[in-house]
Amino acid sequence: MSVQLSGLWVPNSPPSPPYFLPNRGRFSASALSSQSPTIQIIGVGGPSWRDNGYGNPNGNLFDGCQAESDLWSDINTDLYHWTKTLRPVQWFPGHIAKAEKELKEQLKLMDVVIEVRDGRIPISTSHPQMDLWLGNRKRILVLNREDMISTADRNAWADYFTKNGTKAVFSNGKLGMGTMKLGRLAKELAADVNIKRRAKGLLPRAIRAGIVGYPNVGKSSLINRLLKRRMCPAAPRPGVTRDLRWVRFGKDLELLDSPGILPMRISDQSAAIKLAICDDIGERSYDVSDVAAILVQMLTKLPTVGGDTLRKRYKIDVDSHNGKIFIEKLAVRVFNGDVHQAAFRVLADFRKGKFGWTALERPSR
């Protein structure tokens, strides 16, 4: 049995969908050993998310891990069903098709690839074809917007990538402090390029590093911070960068700034909704009121936010199954019945951290 609430599908007892977190590409980077306030390399010895408030204080460690895993599994299951009756979120403007074709050609010239993802949704901002495109090419995985997630979120993802043999670099591209280390790392990973050239009697050349990822995950801002000047157009909205552009970083590193690349069709609508919430996809592709309603329902289930936080901020009662009704009440109370403005306010408040900084994804156990 299921219940329809103002356009959102709320299951009473939904079956579990086939959720999984794919094992993404791996890279070897022994040079990932230093730390800075804004770009941090996570290894095995760091503090665990289990030590940051998500374990069970009255039980053993396994109980805490299991409870946390069950919580996120339930959220994923609910999200799957909430999105089934909504208009599909799809966004593939013409410049992306052109950029994708050009990027595939430029990949042949790259010595190392820096893949940037949104730290709030690392799996949803992983292109399903990226592994195929990169093959065995050396890769640096950057989880940007570290400042927008909690320590517990960060450590959970650090554990996940470490267990999967991937070293993850966490960054705050907005502030940019420490980005010089990312440039040095790219050169260190591709050092064998010039070793091989010298062995053939050729002169050394600049290392070529491509920066790739979804729209609005901070690729251009990262390059601008590396260069310490505004060389690439950057703005807090998707679709600003439309052309591939090589820029020089010193004498021995060249960086390729590329437009955000999305799949032509997003089959995982749970991921698409999270892209919309985090402003990583064009606003024309989704209904703002539907996305805000689902965000409200997700936030009520997160222990770091919960219904009380929303209730205190907006002075409106809320539970995990009335996101649409909540937006409508907020519209009447504050925006003279304008549902679009009310929905946009909730999304903007989340993006600005008004509910506290939190990720919308956690890895499975």
Side-chain angles (χ1 to χ4, degrees):
M1 176 180 179
S2 301
V3 181
Q4 183 83 16
L5 286 182
S6 300
L8 288 181
W9 189 262
V10 183
N12 285 339
S13 56
S16 297
Y19 274 91
F20 64 96
L21 291 175
N23 182 14
R24 300 297 180 186
R26 303 178 180 182
F27 62 91
S28 175
S30 59
L32 288 169
S33 58
S34 58
Q35 294 189 358
S36 74
T38 55
I39 291 189
Q40 301 191 27
I41 293 86
I42 309 304
V44 178
S48 170
W49 61 271
R50 303 176 191 92
D51 302 321
N52 286 273
Y54 284 89
N56 180 359
N58 300 316
N60 59 40
L61 184 62
F62 177 80
D63 290 339
C65 296
Q66 185 64 50
E68 180 68 12
S69 180
D70 290 346
L71 167 67
W72 283 94
S73 178
D74 289 346
I75 291 175
N76 286 338
T77 300
D78 287 341
L79 183 58
Y80 173 82
H81 286 273
W82 291 337
T83 60
K84 287 185 72 67
T85 60
L86 302 183
R87 174 172 64 88
V89 175
Q90 301 292 343
W91 190 63
F92 196 75
H95 77 272
I96 290 184
K98 176 186 174 184
E100 180 180 307
K101 181 179 179 180
E102 293 177 351
L103 178 61
K104 291 177 182 178
E105 290 298 317
Q106 292 295 324
L107 281 172
K108 300 174 184 177
L109 304 176
M110 295 180 193
D111 304 310
V112 60
V113 174
I114 300 171
E115 182 189 357
V116 184
R117 301 187 195 175
D118 190 325
R120 296 169 295 179
I121 48 173
I123 298 300
S124 293
T125 49
S126 176
H127 197 292
Q129 292 182 289
M130 188 62 69
D131 290 344
L132 178 63
W133 293 346
L134 299 187
N136 295 325
R137 191 165 281 103
K138 294 180 179 178
R139 178 178 1 188
I140 301 171
L141 177 62
V142 177
L143 299 188
N144 199 25
R145 299 192 176 127
E146 180 193 18
D147 55 314
M148 293 186 176
I149 61 176
S150 69
T151 300
D153 294 324
R154 176 182 174 279
N155 289 340
W157 283 111
D159 283 354
Y160 169 77
F161 286 115
T162 296
K163 290 174 182 176
N164 283 276
T166 301
K167 295 281 188 178
V169 179
F170 286 78
S171 72
N172 177 351
K174 183 177 180 180
L175 296 179
M177 294 173 57
T179 49
M180 293 292 289
K181 294 184 178 180
L182 183 59
R184 288 198 298 269
L185 174 60
K187 288 184 281 189
E188 290 170 2
L189 284 179
D192 61 334
V193 170
N194 283 320
I195 293 176
K196 293 177 180 178
R197 287 179 65 85
R198 291 190 186 96
K200 296 178 181 179
L202 301 174
L203 293 175
R205 62 164 174 78
I207 299 302
R208 299 165 183 155
I211 298 186
V212 302
Y214 270 42
N216 203 33
V217 294
K219 301 182 297 298
S220 297
S221 295
L222 198 60
I223 291 178
N224 289 336
R225 291 299 181 181
L226 277 166
L227 300 175
K228 295 185 178 179
R229 60 188 185 277
R230 188 181 177 86
M231 290 293 293
C232 301
R237 65 180 186 275
V240 173
T241 303
R242 289 177 173 264
D243 299 298
L244 278 73
R245 181 182 182 184
W246 284 98
V247 293
R248 192 91 175 189
F249 179 52
K251 296 180 180 180
D252 48 6
L253 181 62
E254 293 178 349
L255 299 168
L256 176 67
D257 185 28
S258 64
I261 303 296
L262 284 165
M264 181 176 292
R265 180 173 179 80
I266 304 175
S267 57
D268 184 351
Q269 284 299 295
S270 294
I273 289 294
K274 285 181 278 190
L275 291 173
I277 291 172
C278 294
D279 202 19
D280 292 334
I281 195 171
E283 188 175 323
R284 293 181 180 179
S285 67
Y286 57 89
D287 185 293
V288 174
S289 61
D290 283 341
V291 171
I294 287 184
L295 172 61
V296 168
Q297 295 177 187
M298 290 184 70
L299 293 178
T300 59
K301 290 179 173 291
L302 295 179
T304 53
V305 183
D308 286 342
T309 299
L310 295 167
R311 204 172 288 115
K312 290 176 182 177
R313 181 166 184 81
Y314 301 111
K315 314 301 181 187
I316 298 172
D317 288 335
V318 61
D319 63 45
S320 62
H321 293 301
N322 70 355
K324 196 82 169 182
I325 297 173
F326 179 87
I327 297 298
E328 292 169 354
K329 288 181 178 179
L330 179 62
V332 171
R333 183 178 180 277
V334 182
F335 297 99
N336 295 319
D338 191 328
V339 173
H340 182 89
Q341 286 296 322
F344 186 79
R345 170 63 63 84
V346 173
L347 288 173
D349 284 349
F350 170 79
R351 294 164 183 169
K352 294 176 182 177
K354 300 299 184 181
F355 313 119
W357 295 121
T358 182
L360 296 181
E361 291 179 343
R362 280 288 186 91
S364 61
R365 289 184 65 248

